[in-house]
Amino acid sequence: MENNKVQFCMPYNNDINFIDIICDKYSKNVSSLYGSFNNDGFGGGRALSSKAEFTIHSIAPVISKLSNHNINFNYVINNTNLLNREYDKTYQKVLFNFLQCLQENGVTMITLSNIYFIKIVKRVFPKLKISASVNLKIRSLEEFKFVMDLGIDEATLHYDILKDYKTLVDIKKNSAHIDLKLIPNDIYIMDCPWQKSHTRMQGAHGRNKIVKTPYFSYYRNKCVNIRHYKADEILKAMWIPPTGLENYIDIGYTHFKLLDRLATTNWNIKCLDAYIKQAPVANFEEIAGTYGDICTNKVPAEYHPKDDEIYPRSKLEIIPKIDSSKGSSVESQKYYISPQHPNSCAGCDICKNVTKEIIFFDSKKRLQAIKNNKKWQNYITKREFIERLNGDYEQHIKYQ
């Protein structure tokens, strides 16, 4: 069921062909693209590999093509760990010079996750639109009002409220001129206890990508492994299959942000197609931005001889088949975003029952992955591993 009122914010993977496809075929449904340079000194989440030549010099032609089709480019600075440098005048000057350069090259919107950055950027660059990052964790009407009062122009609400009907409705009613976005294709564990540590590690690693680290994958692996133990956590997780999008459209949400900047153009277009058409997907993991590897056809990471040692994904992650096209899945999605859905899982067995019908693991591989994860998590915490990995223990831990 295609809906032309629905708009998508798409990831830029540094493929100019992706821009051409979006402009030629999807300009009615894509309102913006988002991305960041690999080493800009600030950090923007899933940055491209150091070999990807996406820089301040290459951004102008990209923006020019997009603007001809009324599509904006949203530059991402959503580092959650700046070591208080945001209050340093010299660091602020570097930021302002960088933003001035972005603006001169056609950038009209930036994503920020630092409250103080929002305040000072709004003052110095009044024409630059500000998007509040999902990392600000807007999960209530009160949190939304606070960030809105800072002068933002749009906000991506946090995953935690994707199944909270009342909060979503309340925020929408009070959003005024603010555009609200939801991220539907990230299997985010409900009430994830590792999320804060994960984003802080992202921030630290974003400042020094040369240093190899297993700890970034450590937090990812925690979420992956809980799915191995408890398959119903996949359904409890905060994601929306394409067939579930209409339930959010019904309460006024028409803007969605899709992952993944590290995926191929074909993968991203396939994902966009599915969500535009709100079509059933027999293997949801094929369009889940942070779930899977071979299934999602991700762009191969820049090779490093010790990559397999850092995170041997084929041994640690077993991807189940997730058939979101079945009636039970569609019906459960309607239930998740309805006034009847409880805030607590206590006493509710919907996810457990539906899991048996739509999620299928290879049982032997699943048990082996659980064993492998235990060994790996224990192994990487040993000092000997760190020393051998980087040859400089202190540099690796301190992220100089």
Side-chain angles (χ1 to χ4, degrees):
M1 182 181 66
E2 190 169 336
N3 189 327
N4 287 330
K5 291 183 179 180
V6 179
Q7 294 291 303
F8 294 92
C9 180
M10 295 298 295
Y12 181 48
N13 61 357
N14 196 37
D15 180 5
I16 197 67
N17 184 50
F18 182 52
I19 301 295
D20 292 335
I21 294 172
I22 291 294
C23 292
D24 292 344
K25 299 181 180 180
Y26 297 96
S27 59
K28 291 182 179 179
N29 290 100
V30 175
S31 58
S32 62
L33 270 74
Y34 66 95
S36 60
F37 309 142
N38 189 55
N39 294 304
D40 60 12
F42 307 104
R46 295 185 182 94
L48 305 170
S49 74
S50 58
K51 287 185 178 179
E53 295 297 325
F54 180 41
T55 65
I56 196 72
H57 303 292
S58 63
I59 196 172
V62 170
I63 292 175
S64 178
K65 283 193 174 189
L66 293 174
S67 61
N68 288 336
H69 294 81
N70 297 316
I71 301 174
N72 297 315
F73 189 90
N74 184 339
Y75 192 88
V76 180
I77 302 176
N78 64 354
N79 198 327
T80 59
N81 188 0
L82 291 169
L83 300 177
N84 291 329
R85 290 182 297 175
E86 61 266 41
Y87 304 108
D88 180 77
K89 296 298 181 183
T90 302
Y91 192 73
Q92 289 178 16
K93 186 176 181 180
V94 173
L95 171 68
F96 294 156
N97 288 339
F98 181 71
L99 294 181
Q100 181 65 39
C101 193
L102 287 179
Q103 200 169 42
E104 288 173 355
N105 281 275
V107 172
T108 57
M109 177 176 284
I110 58 170
T111 291
L112 296 173
S113 63
N114 185 287
I115 294 292
Y116 191 67
F117 268 6
I118 292 176
K119 178 181 177 180
I120 61 176
V121 169
K122 196 65 182 178
R123 184 184 72 241
V124 179
F125 297 90
K127 294 182 179 180
L128 201 57
K129 292 185 177 180
I130 295 178
S131 176
S133 169
V134 68
N135 287 340
L136 276 166
K137 297 197 77 168
I138 299 173
R139 298 167 297 176
S140 68
L141 177 59
E142 290 73 20
E143 288 173 332
F144 174 71
K145 285 183 175 179
F146 175 79
V147 179
M148 183 172 67
D149 288 343
L150 294 174
I152 63 169
D153 299 279
E154 72 168 35
T156 301
L157 304 183
H158 196 260
Y159 306 96
D160 281 342
I161 60 172
L162 282 189
K163 295 178 181 177
D164 186 339
Y165 177 85
K166 183 180 184 302
T167 299
L168 287 173
V169 170
D170 286 346
I171 291 177
K172 185 61 185 176
K173 286 181 179 178
N174 290 274
S175 61
H177 62 285
I178 307 296
D179 289 329
L180 299 177
K181 285 184 170 63
L182 303 174
I183 299 176
N185 68 324
D186 189 354
I187 300 184
Y188 181 93
I189 294 294
M190 182 178 63
D191 298 324
C192 180
W194 303 288
Q195 193 269 341
K196 288 183 179 179
S197 297
H198 197 162
T199 55
R200 286 168 183 165
M201 176 54 70
Q202 272 186 314
H205 194 230
R207 294 194 304 274
N208 191 353
K209 292 180 179 295
I210 296 175
V211 177
K212 297 296 177 180
T213 173
Y215 295 123
F216 182 79
S217 297
Y218 175 85
Y219 294 111
R220 168 194 170 89
N221 183 252
K222 284 288 188 181
C223 290
V224 167
N225 208 28
I226 200 172
R227 298 170 191 145
H228 293 156
Y229 279 103
K230 301 178 180 179
D232 59 308
E233 290 293 340
I234 297 173
L235 286 187
K236 290 180 183 178
M238 301 301 155
W239 55 278
I240 310 167
T243 51
L245 223 58
E246 64 177 320
N247 303 310
Y248 294 81
I249 296 170
D250 288 345
I251 59 174
Y253 287 85
T254 57
H255 286 70
F256 300 91
K257 181 178 179 179
L258 296 179
L259 306 178
D260 190 323
R261 279 180 271 174
L262 301 182
T264 63
T265 291
N266 289 339
W267 187 92
N268 275 312
I269 292 300
K270 178 181 178 181
C271 181
L272 176 60
D273 269 330
Y275 277 99
I276 288 177
K277 297 173 183 175
Q278 297 175 43
V281 179
N283 287 300
F284 178 76
E285 70 276 19
E286 291 183 357
I287 60 170
T290 60
Y291 200 35
D293 184 22
I294 298 174
C295 291
T296 56
N297 195 23
K298 293 283 184 69
V299 174
E302 181 181 345
Y303 179 71
H304 184 274
K306 296 178 180 177
D307 276 351
D308 289 340
E309 188 175 11
I310 294 175
Y311 191 70
R313 183 175 293 182
S314 62
K315 296 179 181 179
L316 301 178
E317 298 187 13
I318 303 301
I319 310 301
K321 177 183 178 183
I322 307 173
D323 190 348
S324 64
S325 65
K326 288 192 174 181
S328 54
S329 175
V330 175
E331 290 303 313
S332 64
Q333 280 298 321
K334 290 181 180 180
Y335 174 64
Y336 293 150
I337 188 62
S338 70
Q340 290 74 38
H341 186 249
N343 289 330
S344 170
C345 291
C348 179
D349 294 323
I350 293 292
C351 287
K352 287 184 178 180
N353 294 333
V354 177
T355 295
K356 299 173 184 177
E357 299 177 17
I358 71 169
I359 297 179
F360 308 98
F361 273 99
D362 181 306
S363 57
K364 289 184 179 180
K365 290 182 180 180
R366 178 183 184 179
L367 290 174
Q368 187 60 53
I370 291 173
K371 292 179 181 179
N372 292 344
N373 277 306
K374 286 182 179 179
K375 292 180 180 179
W376 181 79
Q377 297 252 348
N378 181 58
Y379 175 54
I380 66 166
T381 57
K382 298 293 188 292
R383 180 176 180 131
E384 295 78 15
F385 171 78
I386 302 301
E387 289 177 330
R388 186 157 54 84
L389 180 68
N390 260 28
D392 189 341
Y393 179 78
E394 293 299 325
Q395 179 192 25
H396 186 89
I397 296 301
K398 288 183 178 179
Y399 283 96
Q400 295 291 349

